[in-house]
Amino acid sequence: MQFDQTDLRLFLAVAEIGSITGAAERQHLSLGAASARIKALESKCEVQLLTREARGVRLLPAGEALLHHARLLLAQAEQLRGELHEYRGGLRGHLRIFANTTAVTDLLPEVLPGFLNRNPQISVDLQEKPNALIPRGVLDGRADVGIVAGQVDTLGLESIHFSTDRLVLVTSRKHRFAKRRRISFVETLDEDAIGMQQGSTLQAFLSQITDNLGKHQRLRVRLSNFDAMCRMISSGVGIGVVPESAARRNQDAMQLALIELTDAWCVRERYLLVRERARLPTYAGELVDILCAAHKPG
């Protein structure tokens, strides 16, 4: 089933305005032409998309479904136009990466600047996604490389282990837990906590853990990155669960205490996911090699 972008933009305008007349004006079409396009769209879909009412139109369930996909299709078309424009300007490659919170905020910022400086004609689209959704994005071709941690269904993708992600409890050095060497996560749940923002894969993971325990974290503030979390923790506002690499980076400057978590889930193996490593573009393979070399033991 082929859809004309003009028809999709018109339908989107109808849905937003609630009127074919208003949508026709926005799209610079006559009312007759707009009405004919909507009727032709319904005929193509073989289902009624909207119903005419006294003060305009109302989308039917099929129309709501078309609206959802129309937005996606138009957004993808716009993204395609933008990328092709970049290629006309000399771009030679576009690398799409889906990654979890730790990789986006703590891992990739360490390696991407050097990679991009060495590859000035390559652009990177980095998107934070929940671990469970990353393999599907790679499998569907929406991402060239995925970065996940922990036990994830890889959907048959090629999986490359490249490092270990360990979570630790971080407190100020004045906190009562600061002198502990080890602690279980459940022991920390009566304390005020600092967490990552809504949508963070790490925060979603911890929420799943607390749900399984029948408890919840007493979150006082949610922040966008681990360095900001460490700064807030150092002020004594609360405690937090942070990747060990970020905690150690800030430990001395912010006077932080790091306490080992005894829970088995605190150690999570990191994997790069690709459809076929041997068939990656050269620049994508180079980034995979950089990540593996940067975290090689010893």
Side-chain angles (χ1 to χ4, degrees), residues 262-278:
T262 59
D263 307 82
W265 51 256
C266 76
V267 178
R268 302 193 299 167
E269 304 302 329
R270 285 194 187 120
Y271 296 91
L272 293 161
L273 302 181
V274 296
R275 290 183 292 282
E276 290 183 63
R277 186 174 184 176

Side-chain angles (χ1 to χ4, degrees), residues 11-54:
F11 188 76
L12 181 60
V14 169
E16 291 176 348
I17 298 172
S19 162
I20 295 177
T21 301
E25 291 177 357
R26 176 191 286 186
Q27 299 303 115
H28 307 292
L29 297 169
S30 68
L31 177 58
S35 296
R37 282 182 174 274
I38 294 298
K39 289 180 181 177
L41 190 57
E42 289 183 312
S43 177
K44 180 182 292 185
C45 295
E46 299 181 345
V47 65
Q48 188 176 355
L49 301 172
L50 47 81
T51 182
R52 281 73 173 173
E53 297 181 339

Side-chain angles (χ1 to χ4, degrees), residues 185 188-198 203-204 206-207 210 216-223 229 237-241:
F185 181 59
T188 73
L189 295 179
D190 290 331
E191 301 290 318
D192 289 336
I194 310 300
M196 288 288 283
Q197 64 189 1
Q198 195 74 29
Q203 203 57 50
L206 292 177
S207 294
T210 54
H216 64 275
Q217 283 186 292
R218 291 171 45 180
L219 289 170
R220 293 198 65 192
V221 62
R222 294 174 181 264
L223 299 166
M229 280 185 66
V237 172
I239 63 177
V241 174

Side-chain angles (χ1 to χ4, degrees), residues 242-279:
V242 177
E244 186 175 21
S245 57
R248 292 206 179 280
R249 182 172 64 244
N250 293 295
Q251 183 175 12
D252 292 335
M254 299 184 188
Q255 297 292 293
L256 300 173
L258 278 58
I259 301 100
E260 178 185 344
L261 288 167
T262 59
D263 307 82
W265 51 256
C266 76
V267 178
R268 302 193 299 167
E269 304 302 329
R270 285 194 187 120
Y271 296 91
L272 293 161
L273 302 181
V274 296
R275 290 183 292 282
E276 290 183 63
R277 186 174 184 176
R279 298 185 66 178

